[in-house]
Amino acid sequence: MTVIVLAVLAVVLPLALWGRVRGPLLIRGLARLAMVGFAQVTAVLVVFVAVNNTNGLFSDWDDLLGGGDHVAAAPDLGRDGLGGRRIADLPKTAQTFRPAAVPDGRVRTTLLRGQVSGVTAEVYVWLPPQYDDPAYRNVRFPVVELFSGYPGTPASWFAGLRVTERLEPLMRNGTVAPFILVAPRTKLLGDADAGCANVPGVVNAESWVSVDVRKMVTDHFRAVPTADGWAVAGFSAGGHCAAKIALAHPDRYRYAVTMSGYNDPAAEPDSITAKDPALRHANNPLTLLREAPAPPRLSLLVTGDGDDGYRQGLDLRAAAEPPTRIEVRRVTGGHRTSTWADQVPSVFTWLTGRLEGAGATASSLRR
């Protein structure tokens, strides 16, 4: 609304005041120059807001200016990210949902206070068309957690990639399984990229997405609770997150998709894990795969071109041993939203084809 008012003023003020400016020539010139400058700055601002609204890069001005810190506490939670607690022992989350500011009016959002991670941030949820169908009232649905790039917000998948617009017809005709789509905020530290990592004293982003968000979904929706009904998917920095989270927690996720992602955290200069050699090594998906106690039971799809994800996928595939399965696809088009948006149908078709989705439940979803 503020930008609209400014845009109107940028047009109206010169029309109303251009010929009415009084005073010496210098004063009149400066006043008219100020009006022209105001109009030009407003025009740039209007374009920026339009691009931001289309791609979901920042949620508000505070987010843009690096003031959006969503971390209340960051205790050391250990290797499993639970801090000695069991997920089953945590109290049920109490959430309220409202419509999200994205083109699809069925997307809902909630502010989640993470019981384990110490993160408080928004989470977007979209339920497939079959969810409220009486024929599916006893069915638990598979879930895909969606991670945005950096910078980015949960709206990126819904406003930029228009994931629901592309998938809903495919879910209705049975080409794609009716997944619950969940997009948590991953930009948690203002002007730094959390990298979906747990860093004691800084942020527990890994526990946020893999424990707190996951529990909220199973608490409030008919979601498959086991790993064979859960996947993660992301683009750019979100692709890095997807691979890292799935490889770190194959007990929580059975599938992952990374589009134009990377292995080395240093590929994102603002990543907090890129600045420390130990963190950089520990949060590299290739490290997680090579140093796993046993090859994880995981299916991973990697797409990209050249050094924009493809080579990194080949490195992961070369390091994989059964039952880890890694498929690498070369996709041209560049590091841009349109390239990832075009992949949405094929990516979710791939997920559907591998969905174990808790056995009989998966078969019923693909009827």
Side-chain angles (χ1 to χ4, degrees), residues 48 52-53 55-71 120-122 124 148-156 184-194 270:
F48 171 79
N52 181 67
N53 290 345
N55 295 284
L57 299 177
F58 303 98
S59 57
D60 52 34
W61 292 106
D62 193 40
D63 196 17
L64 170 64
L65 298 174
D69 191 324
H70 298 267
V71 180
T120 297
E122 69 270 30
Y124 286 26
S148 70
Y150 176 85
T153 69
S156 299
R185 170 177 279 276
T186 53
K187 184 177 180 288
L188 304 172
L189 293 172
D191 57 359
D193 176 24
D270 289 336

Side-chain angles (χ1 to χ4, degrees), residues 82-132:
L82 290 169
R85 285 172 283 187
R86 295 194 321 140
I87 295 175
D89 295 336
L90 296 173
K92 182 177 180 178
T93 56
Q95 298 299 126
T96 57
F97 296 82
R98 58 181 175 79
V102 294
D104 188 336
R106 290 173 51 217
V107 180
R108 294 182 282 176
T109 182
T110 187
L111 185 68
L112 176 64
R113 290 174 172 81
Q115 299 181 60
V116 174
S117 67
V119 169
T120 297
E122 69 270 30
V123 182
Y124 286 26
V125 178
W126 181 84
L127 302 176
Q130 290 87 341
Y131 191 87
D132 293 322

Side-chain angles (χ1 to χ4, degrees), residues 53-55 102-104 107 146 155-169 181 235 337 340-342 344-345 348:
N53 290 345
T54 298
N55 295 284
V102 294
D104 188 336
V107 180
L146 305 172
S156 299
W157 276 87
F158 302 100
L161 274 65
R162 294 186 176 268
V163 62
T164 59
E165 177 183 310
R166 296 171 185 272
L167 289 183
E168 184 166 350
L181 303 182
F235 57 85
T337 299
W340 306 318
D342 288 343
V344 165
F348 278 81

Side-chain angles (χ1 to χ4, degrees), residues 114-349:
Q115 299 181 60
V116 174
S117 67
V119 169
T120 297
E122 69 270 30
V123 182
Y124 286 26
V125 178
W126 181 84
L127 302 176
Q130 290 87 341
Y131 191 87
D132 293 322
D133 186 335
Y136 289 81
R137 63 182 177 275
N138 296 319
V139 170
R140 291 189 175 274
F141 290 78
V143 182
V144 182
E145 269 191 79
L146 305 172
F147 302 146
S148 70
Y150 176 85
T153 69
S156 299
W157 276 87
F158 302 100
L161 274 65
R162 294 186 176 268
V163 62
T164 59
E165 177 183 310
R166 296 171 185 272
L167 289 183
E168 184 166 350
L170 301 178
M171 291 183 180
R172 290 189 182 279
N173 68 24
T175 302
V176 168
F179 295 97
I180 296 173
L181 303 182
V182 179
R185 170 177 279 276
T186 53
K187 184 177 180 288
L188 304 172
L189 293 172
D191 57 359
D193 176 24
C196 287
N198 277 5
V199 181
V202 181
V203 66
N204 285 319
E206 183 177 322
S207 294
W208 160 247
V209 298
S210 68
V211 178
D212 289 328
V213 171
R214 201 175 181 282
K215 183 178 187 324
M216 183 275 289
V217 174
T218 56
D219 280 349
H220 288 271
F221 303 101
R222 298 196 315 275
V224 177
T226 51
D228 54 6
W230 280 75
V232 283
F235 57 85
S236 189
H240 167 76
C241 280
K244 175 192 172 316
I245 291 295
L247 286 165
H249 301 288
D251 58 324
R252 300 171 197 170
Y253 304 94
R254 190 75 73 228
Y255 326 95
V257 174
T258 170
M259 299 182 287
S260 300
Y262 48 83
N263 293 329
D264 186 351
E268 172 47 65
D270 289 336
S271 172
I272 61 170
T273 60
K275 298 173 173 58
D276 179 275
L279 288 175
R280 180 178 174 184
H281 177 77
N283 287 278
N284 186 323
L286 194 56
T287 299
L288 292 170
L289 184 57
R290 286 172 173 168
E291 299 183 1
R297 185 183 168 197
L298 174 72
S299 293
L300 172 63
L301 172 64
V302 183
T303 72
D305 188 25
D307 285 334
D308 190 32
Y310 184 75
R311 179 183 59 77
Q312 291 85 343
L314 295 179
D315 290 342
L316 288 169
R317 189 174 67 184
E321 297 179 9
T324 306
R325 294 179 295 178
I326 297 180
E327 181 177 336
V328 185
R329 295 179 183 175
R330 186 187 299 276
V331 175
T332 59
H335 197 88
R336 55 175 60 95
T337 299
S338 59
T339 303
W340 306 318
D342 288 343
Q343 294 180 64
V344 165
S346 61
V347 160
F348 278 81
T349 300

